[in-house]
């Protein structure tokens, strides 16, 4: 039993470090400076865990300082993947946005030298109190995940980003993350807490817990200057890295700029910048400028490790920037000493690190490239392997193993200096090869928590790749194993070498054309089903599963796809019930006796690796009583949303306007002009078009402006409206919050659709955000709502006559509700579009 638990522990640690070092993209090319810094880091045995709630919450300056200046093993634990935020680079929201932000965090950590972890918590949207947050998250489960990460990472120091005593003063997720950090600090070292984890990890008690405070938490720099700092450390995070030619602040800015979907591009700064850490638990360092003062961070903390520390110091002293390979003999000796140590965290950690340093010093390039970017279980795959030794040290390739459990090839091939060795293997994937997917999306999940039954996967930033090549090499007589993920590579005529993760997928996918179908009457709509092959020569039949009371024609359609990646669009007539009804449709594809219902979602942006997501192809359908007046709508995209497609569902002709199209002549032909979410934050040229838009309203048009933030606007906030309008940070996060009618007789609530309380049922994530809190008397406030215990928020839907037309400003979250198929949201939005033609009942 003890041996079994030992193997399980080694598996978890190996998975963690494999996830930290593996990257199914271009192999890392070490610079001489990076190798030198890596050697220095080999001689520092101390670790830090930084803890907060979301991607972009982390203090990249402090993470970079600890990883690069202190040389500590530094990780960021983001409790969520940022699924509830907004997206400035595309239209993905919710779990797909979470996938993007996960990859942005990994890019940030590759930049600042940290590592990345998560819990199963789902970012369900803004929360005003940690009690609500912890209820929706399932407090005990998230706490267990935090304890799990502490036991895996074994930090000497934990740093909370936020104040655990700030309940009700800031985002509930923020406070909750700090509360969990405080609690987990005490629990992680106890054997009777989450004992099931002890099959894989041992209890671990960190030494110190800090809060990364600043003047911001005190309200002003003056108040912070007067604050008691007797329990605070002051660390200068603005150090200059002479070997890199840049300051730590500049590295941190590059890291933060990876958060592109949130618009957190940052300008690098230079000069001294103090970071303050307030002690919450543990002992206060005597030297208040040294986080690890009093903690043994040398090799003497490991039994038998002192000779390793001395040897690595010699390697550092003798390092030659012009010839890193000269360090290899002593590094090999250090590796032998490490491998002779008893199994433990620091042995596993430093063995992984030193092997990468040795590889870099050798200039050893190892790459495994599949001839296609994906395959199906049981399919044959050709993998091309390339190795090259760019040092004068003898390296012999002894064997290659293709994982998992594929071919093992003995080689005994000398890697001649600077001469590539290339070989090709045809491999058949096993029929039970797991499909590639974001592991936290594999199973249905609740509002606040993803479902991850496998304990060993919890916390990992992404799914470990199964398809790998293991290289066994002899380096100057020392046998070392390295691994690399099998990837795909192509040559782009503009961008050059493009890498993509290799994926294992089903043989066929079914993507329904829209995110939701809303029926305004009992007339049938055409549902397009795109059937796409994941392998060549796929044929079968396709159908749609529909809710009770709905009907499709035809019941089944055959398809034949000869080429891999070929698509065939099948069309079904979907007939709704006569009365209001909601449900879901799903594709059902039958191939060789097997049924498939997954859709494939490809997320492709230049700043992150291509992500392939498999998920159930469920699409909401709703039959509602909906009327509209007017047909032609113009839409100016802001940060990106799916509203244009949603409006087309209910019969509008929607034209998405480009910059050149925004002319008085074009605008005059539309019944309404709608500005997408955060348009005044993201569309720079709106400042040149604002006068034309207001002229359009003055001449009788209807202009609908959706929410904007009150900072970083492309023109002064007083200019976005014909009358005074002040945007606040007021929001209503409870999607079930009561909505009261301030003007029950107003046309917006009566024509062409009679709006009732029922129209606000079934909303998702929130009511709205960034409501105005001051406005001119020309505006009429139509609706009011609020979160529990807060004053009424009346600014969510404001309308004003301007000239012959109407200007509407609305902070309600239409960008979530319409693509989610919320019937009442469609009815009220149709009333807004129709107002110019429905002034009078």
């Amino acid at each position: 039993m003890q041996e079994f638990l030992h193997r399980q522990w080694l598996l978890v640690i190996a998975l963690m470090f494999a996830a930290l070092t593996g990257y199914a993209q271009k192999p890392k090319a070490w610079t001489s400076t990076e190798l030198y810094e890596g050697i220095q880091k080999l001689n520092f045995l101390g670790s830090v865990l930084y803890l907060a709630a979301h991607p972009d919450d982390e203090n990249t300056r402090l993470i970079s300082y600890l990883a690069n200046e202190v040389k500590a093993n530094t990780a960021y634990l983001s409790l969520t993947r940022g699924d509830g935020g907004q997206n400035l680079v595309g239209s993905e929201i919710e779990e797909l946005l979470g996938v993007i932000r996960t990859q942005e965090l990994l890019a940030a950590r590759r930049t600042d030298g940290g590592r990345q972890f998560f819990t199963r918590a789902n970012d369900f949207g803004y929360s005003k109190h940690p009690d609500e947050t912890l209820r929706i998250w399932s407090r005990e489960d998230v706490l267990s995940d935090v304890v799990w990460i502490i036991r895996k990472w074994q930090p000497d120091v934990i740093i909370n980003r936020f104040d655990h005593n700030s309940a009700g003063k800031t985002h509930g997720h923020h406070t909750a993350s700090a509360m969990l950090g405080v609690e987990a600090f005490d629990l992680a070292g106890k054997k009777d807490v989450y004992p099931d984890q002890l099959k894989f990890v041992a209890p671990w008690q960190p030494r110190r817990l800090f809060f990364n405070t600043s003047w911001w938490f005190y309200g002003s720099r003056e108040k912070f200057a007067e604050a008691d700092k007797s329990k605070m450390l002051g660390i200068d995070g603005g150090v200059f890295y002479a070997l890199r030619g840049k300051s730590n602040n500049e590295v941190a800015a590059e890291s933060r700029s990876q958060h592109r979907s949130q618009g957190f591009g940052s300008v690098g700064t230079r000069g001294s910048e103090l970071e303050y850490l307030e002690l919450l638990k543990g002992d206060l360092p005597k030297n208040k400028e040294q986080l690890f003062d009093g903690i043994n961070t040398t090799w003497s903390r490991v039994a038998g490790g002192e000779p390793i520390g001395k040897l690595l110091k010699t390697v550092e002293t003798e390092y030659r920037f012009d010839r890193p390979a000269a360090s290899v003999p002593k590094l090999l000796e250090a590796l032998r000493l490490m491998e002779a140590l008893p199994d433990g965290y620091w042995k596993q950690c430093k063995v992984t690190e030193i092997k990468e340093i040795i590889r870099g010093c050798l200039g050893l390039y190892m790459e495994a490239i599949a001839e296609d970017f994906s395959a199906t279980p049981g399919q044959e795959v050709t993998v091309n392997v390339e190795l090259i030794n760019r040092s004068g040290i003898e390296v012999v390739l002894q064997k290659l193993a293709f994982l998992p459990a594929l071919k093992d090839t003995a080689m005994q091939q000398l890697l001649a200096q600077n001469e590539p060795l290339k070989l090709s293997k045809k491999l058949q994937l096993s029929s039970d090869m797991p499909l590639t997917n974001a592991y936290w999306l594999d199973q249905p999940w609740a509002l606040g928590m993803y479902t991850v039954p496998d304990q060993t996967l919890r916390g990992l930033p992404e799914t470990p790749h199964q398809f790998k090549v293991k290289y066994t090499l002899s380096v100057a007589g020392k046998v070392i194993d390295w691994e690399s993920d099998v990837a795909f590579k192509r040559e782009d005529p503009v961008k050059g070498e493009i890498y993509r993760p290799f994926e294992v997928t089903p043989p066929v996918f079914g993507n329904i054309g829209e995110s939701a179908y809303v029926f305004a009457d009992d007339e049938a709509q055409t549902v397009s089903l795109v059937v796409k092959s994941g392998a060549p020569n796929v044929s079968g039949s396709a159908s749609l599963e529909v809710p009770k009371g709905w009907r499709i024609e035809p019941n089944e359609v055959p398809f034949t796809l000869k080429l891999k990646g070929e698509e065939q669009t099948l069309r079904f007539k979907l007939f709704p019930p006569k009365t209001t009804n909601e449900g879901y449709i799903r594709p059902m594809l039958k191939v060789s006796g097997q049924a498939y219902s997954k859709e494939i979602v490809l997320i492709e942006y230049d700043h992150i690796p291509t992500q392939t997501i498999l998920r159930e192809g469920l699409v909401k359908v709703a039959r509602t009583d909906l009327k509209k007046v007017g047909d032609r709508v113009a839409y100016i995209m802001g940060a990106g949303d799916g509203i244009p497609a949603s409006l087309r569902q209910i019969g509008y002709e929607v034209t998405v306007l480009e910059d050149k199209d925004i002319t008085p002549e074009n605008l005059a032909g539309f019944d309404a002009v709608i500005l997408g979410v955060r348009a005044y934050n993201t569309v720079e040229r709106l400042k040149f078009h604002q006068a034309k838009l207001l002229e359009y309203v003055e001449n009788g048009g209807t202009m609908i402006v959706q929410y904007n933030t009150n900072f970083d606007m492309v023109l002064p906030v007083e200019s976005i409206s014909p009358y005074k309008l002040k945007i606040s940070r007021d929001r209503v996060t409870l999607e079930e919050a009561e909505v009261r009618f301030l003007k029950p007789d107003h046309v917006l609530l009566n024509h062409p659709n009679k709006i009732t309380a029922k129209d606000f049922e079934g909303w998702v994530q929130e009511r709205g955000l960034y409501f105005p809190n001051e406005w001119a008397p020309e505006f009429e406030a139509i609706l009011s709502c609020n979160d529990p215990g807060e004053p009424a928020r009346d600014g969510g839907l404001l309308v004003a006559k301007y000239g012959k037309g109407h200007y509407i400003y609305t902070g309600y979250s239409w960008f979530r509700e319409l693509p989610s198929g919320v019937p009442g949201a469609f009815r009220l939005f149709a009333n807004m579009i129709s107002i110019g033609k429905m002034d009078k009942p």
Side-chain angles (χ1 to χ4, degrees):
M1 181 64 177
Q2 189 66 29
E3 182 180 349
F4 169 77
L5 293 179
H6 177 69
R7 288 200 305 269
Q8 293 290 86
W9 180 85
L10 288 177
L11 169 65
V12 169
I13 299 299
L15 266 176
M16 179 177 71
F17 285 108
L20 300 183
T21 57
Y23 180 51
Q25 298 295 293
K26 187 173 183 178
K28 178 176 174 60
W30 290 82
T31 67
S32 186
T33 292
E34 288 172 331
L35 290 168
Y36 177 70
E37 293 175 337
I39 290 168
Q40 291 178 313
K41 187 171 184 176
L42 286 173
N43 228 352
F44 189 94
L45 278 64
S47 57
V48 184
L49 182 66
Y50 198 88
L51 194 156
H54 311 106
D56 73 49
D57 282 346
E58 80 274 25
N59 183 340
T60 55
R61 179 168 57 231
L62 188 54
I63 289 174
S64 177
Y65 173 85
L66 293 170
N68 299 301
E69 176 67 11
V70 178
K71 302 295 190 293
N73 279 9
T74 308
Y76 173 44
L77 170 55
S78 175
L79 297 193
T80 76
R81 297 175 184 268
D83 328 73
Q86 285 81 53
N87 185 0
L88 296 186
V89 298
S91 59
E92 296 90 351
I93 57 175
E94 298 175 348
E95 70 272 14
L96 296 182
L97 176 58
V99 171
I100 293 173
R101 298 189 73 184
T102 293
Q103 291 300 319
E104 289 177 338
L105 268 180
L106 288 171
R109 299 294 80 78
R110 288 192 292 273
T111 303
D112 60 33
R115 301 292 184 256
Q116 186 63 51
F117 296 112
F118 296 94
T119 73
R120 288 169 288 167
N122 185 350
D123 179 359
F124 56 85
Y126 193 89
S127 174
K128 294 181 178 178
H129 201 280
D131 289 351
E132 177 199 41
T133 298
L134 294 172
R135 174 178 55 80
I136 295 175
W137 272 355
S138 178
R139 177 187 176 283
E140 197 64 24
D141 290 334
V142 182
L143 179 60
S144 75
D145 286 355
V146 177
V147 169
W148 168 253
I149 299 302
I150 293 172
R151 287 171 170 174
K152 284 207 308 180
W153 187 245
Q154 296 191 10
D156 299 299
V157 177
I158 298 176
I159 301 174
N160 279 346
R161 181 67 183 105
F162 298 107
D163 181 3
H164 67 289
N165 290 316
S166 60
K169 300 176 183 177
T170 183
H171 197 326
H173 296 185
H174 292 171
T175 307
S177 72
M179 292 167 62
L180 292 172
V182 170
E183 190 169 0
F185 179 88
D186 293 327
L187 297 179
K190 297 180 178 180
K191 293 182 179 179
D192 59 344
V193 174
Y194 308 119
D196 287 349
Q197 295 181 4
L198 303 185
K199 301 173 187 175
F200 307 99
V201 292
W204 177 258
Q205 180 56 57
R207 179 79 171 267
R208 294 165 183 156
L209 173 67
F210 292 94
F211 161 40
N212 183 195
T213 189
S214 71
W215 68 266
W216 188 86
F217 292 97
Y218 285 75
S220 71
R221 296 182 186 275
E222 291 75 21
K223 289 181 180 179
F224 186 60
E226 298 171 358
D228 178 11
K229 298 183 177 62
S230 60
K231 289 190 175 182
M232 290 187 195
L233 274 63
I235 296 173
D236 188 356
V239 296
F240 177 63
Y241 300 129
L243 293 177
R244 300 188 183 194
K246 61 179 68 173
S247 71
N248 184 65
N249 292 336
E250 291 169 309
V251 175
E254 292 170 7
S255 173
R256 190 155 185 80
S257 296
Q258 302 303 318
H259 295 297
R260 299 186 190 180
S261 66
Q262 300 302 292
F264 279 115
S266 181
V267 176
T269 61
R270 289 142 294 279
S272 179
E273 284 279 354
L274 284 181
E275 291 288 345
Y276 289 93
L277 301 176
E278 179 183 348
L279 183 71
L280 301 179
K281 288 179 179 288
D283 63 314
L284 187 69
K286 292 180 180 179
N287 183 341
K288 290 189 176 183
E289 295 179 356
Q290 297 294 328
L291 183 65
F292 286 92
D293 183 46
I295 297 175
N296 185 1
T297 58
T298 73
W299 273 96
S300 65
R301 78 182 291 175
V302 178
E306 283 193 71
I308 299 173
K310 293 176 182 178
L311 179 57
L312 290 173
K313 188 62 181 178
T314 301
V315 175
E316 178 187 343
T317 302
E318 297 176 352
Y319 181 77
R320 289 183 54 179
F321 283 87
D322 63 333
R323 190 168 170 259
S327 297
V328 169
K330 284 188 171 66
L331 287 171
L332 292 174
E333 184 180 346
L335 175 58
R336 290 188 185 96
L337 292 174
M338 290 180 194
E339 291 176 336
L341 295 172
D343 286 326
Y345 173 85
W346 283 112
K347 173 186 175 178
Q348 184 74 33
C349 171
K350 294 303 179 181
V351 164
T352 301
E353 289 180 17
I354 197 171
K355 285 167 63 175
E356 284 300 296
I357 297 298
I358 291 170
R359 183 183 67 79
C361 287
L362 290 168
L364 183 60
Y365 185 90
M366 297 177 288
E367 182 178 71
I369 299 297
E371 291 191 349
D372 205 344
F373 60 84
S374 70
T376 60
Q379 189 175 346
E380 189 175 74
V381 178
T382 299
V383 177
N384 299 311
V385 177
E386 178 183 350
L387 296 94
I388 185 168
N389 168 26
R390 292 169 286 191
S391 74
I393 295 172
E394 181 182 276
V395 178
V396 177
L397 174 60
Q398 293 188 336
K399 64 179 180 179
L400 291 175
F402 295 88
L403 308 176
L406 298 173
K407 292 184 178 180
D408 194 353
T409 305
M411 303 293 294
Q412 293 302 324
Q413 176 70 53
L414 176 69
L415 298 184
Q417 183 177 0
N418 210 31
E419 292 185 13
L421 172 65
K422 297 182 180 181
L423 54 94
S424 181
K425 288 285 183 183
K426 286 189 176 181
L427 306 162
Q428 187 169 12
L429 301 183
S430 64
S431 59
D432 60 351
M433 189 86 158
L435 301 179
T436 305
N437 200 26
Y439 69 85
W440 60 97
L441 302 181
D442 277 340
Q443 297 195 21
W445 59 89
L447 172 64
M449 290 292 293
Y450 286 117
T451 304
V452 184
D454 187 346
Q455 179 70 61
T456 63
L457 289 176
R458 294 176 187 173
L460 296 182
E462 54 186 346
T463 309
H465 281 254
Q466 297 274 333
F467 197 16
K468 297 173 176 287
V469 175
K470 181 179 179 181
Y471 312 84
T472 300
L473 297 103
S474 171
V475 180
K478 174 71 176 83
V479 177
I480 306 176
D481 290 330
W482 282 281
E483 290 183 0
S484 69
D485 294 341
V486 174
F488 172 71
K489 180 172 67 175
R490 66 180 177 86
E491 182 180 336
D492 184 276
V494 175
K495 300 175 183 177
E497 200 172 50
I498 302 294
Y499 284 77
R500 176 175 172 175
F502 177 81
E503 317 280 2
V504 181
T505 70
V508 67
F509 321 98
N511 286 40
I512 295 175
E514 303 292 347
S515 62
Y517 289 87
V518 176
F519 292 73
D521 50 38
D522 56 10
E523 292 294 316
Q525 287 191 37
T526 298
V527 175
S528 297
L529 173 62
V530 178
V531 180
K532 184 173 182 177
S533 60
N537 300 314
V538 176
S539 61
S541 62
S543 183
L544 293 177
E545 287 186 351
V546 298
K548 184 178 180 179
W550 296 70
R551 180 171 60 87
I552 60 166
E553 289 183 1
N555 288 325
E556 196 171 72
V557 179
F559 63 85
T560 299
L561 303 168
K562 293 184 178 180
L563 302 176
K564 177 183 176 181
E566 186 177 351
E567 295 181 357
Q568 188 174 346
T569 300
L570 310 179
R571 292 179 173 82
F572 298 85
K573 287 287 187 182
L574 179 60
F575 295 84
K578 298 289 185 182
T579 57
T580 58
N581 187 288
E582 295 180 43
Y584 291 88
I585 60 175
R586 181 172 70 162
M588 188 54 61
L589 312 174
K590 296 178 181 177
V591 177
S592 301
Q594 295 286 326
Y596 301 91
S597 59
K598 298 284 189 184
E599 69 172 355
I600 185 170
V601 181
L602 210 61
I603 300 176
E604 294 183 285
Y605 293 102
D606 286 345
H607 69 297
I608 62 172
T610 298
Q611 300 295 298
T612 302
I613 304 300
L614 304 175
R615 63 180 184 178
E616 285 296 316
L618 291 172
V619 168
K620 186 173 181 180
V621 292
R623 164 69 167 92
T624 186
D625 179 20
L626 185 147
K627 303 178 182 64
K628 64 184 184 67
V629 178
D631 298 299
R632 297 193 69 220
V633 172
Y635 204 91
I636 299 174
M637 295 298 292
D641 60 64
I643 289 180
S646 297
L647 294 178
R648 293 183 184 111
Q649 282 293 308
I650 56 173
Y652 283 105
E653 178 188 337
V654 182
T655 302
V656 177
L657 298 181
E658 302 294 334
D659 182 70
K660 61 182 175 56
D661 303 322
I662 305 176
T663 65
E665 296 76 19
N666 279 348
L667 295 175
F670 293 105
D671 297 309
V673 175
I674 305 169
L675 270 64
V677 296
R678 297 188 65 178
Y680 287 117
N681 298 122
T682 59
V683 184
E684 182 69 27
R685 288 189 57 79
L686 270 181
K687 61 187 175 185
F688 303 116
H689 297 306
Q690 183 66 6
K692 298 176 228 175
L693 292 169
L694 293 181
E695 180 185 350
Y696 159 78
V697 178
E698 194 172 17
N699 290 335
T702 297
M703 180 177 174
I704 302 171
V705 179
Q706 297 180 77
Y707 98 95
N708 291 266
T709 64
N710 57 4
F711 52 89
D712 292 336
M713 303 191 81
V714 301
L715 71 170
V717 64
E718 59 269 17
S719 303
I720 70 170
S721 163
Y723 308 113
K724 177 186 175 182
L725 187 70
K726 183 179 179 181
I727 300 172
S728 73
R729 297 182 67 88
D730 292 348
R731 59 201 304 162
V732 179
T733 63
L734 187 66
E735 58 266 35
E736 299 94 357
E738 177 194 8
V739 178
R740 298 172 294 276
F741 295 175
L742 299 176
K743 302 275 185 177
D745 297 327
H746 196 280
V747 64
L748 276 182
L749 298 178
N750 291 277
H751 299 283
N753 300 292
K754 177 69 175 177
I755 303 301
T756 69
K758 187 174 178 58
D759 289 300
F760 294 93
E761 295 177 2
W763 281 47
V764 298
Q765 186 160 320
E766 61 197 348
R767 285 298 188 203
L769 61 170
Y770 289 94
F771 288 1
N773 62 353
E774 293 181 24
W775 50 86
E778 287 84 356
F779 279 108
E780 293 182 276
I782 307 300
L783 300 174
S784 177
C785 60
N786 56 274
D787 282 322
E790 294 193 355
R793 309 299 187 190
D794 297 347
L797 179 57
L798 302 174
V799 59
K801 286 280 291 182
Y802 180 61
K804 300 177 183 178
H806 295 82
Y807 178 97
I808 297 174
Y809 189 95
T810 176
Y812 283 91
S813 60
W814 312 106
F815 72 104
R816 296 193 190 280
E817 312 313 322
L818 269 60
S820 295
V822 178
F826 277 89
R827 286 163 45 82
L828 184 49
F829 209 93
N831 282 11
M832 289 194 292
I833 294 173
S834 304
I835 190 172
K837 298 179 179 294
M838 297 292 298
D839 259 339
K840 296 178 181 179

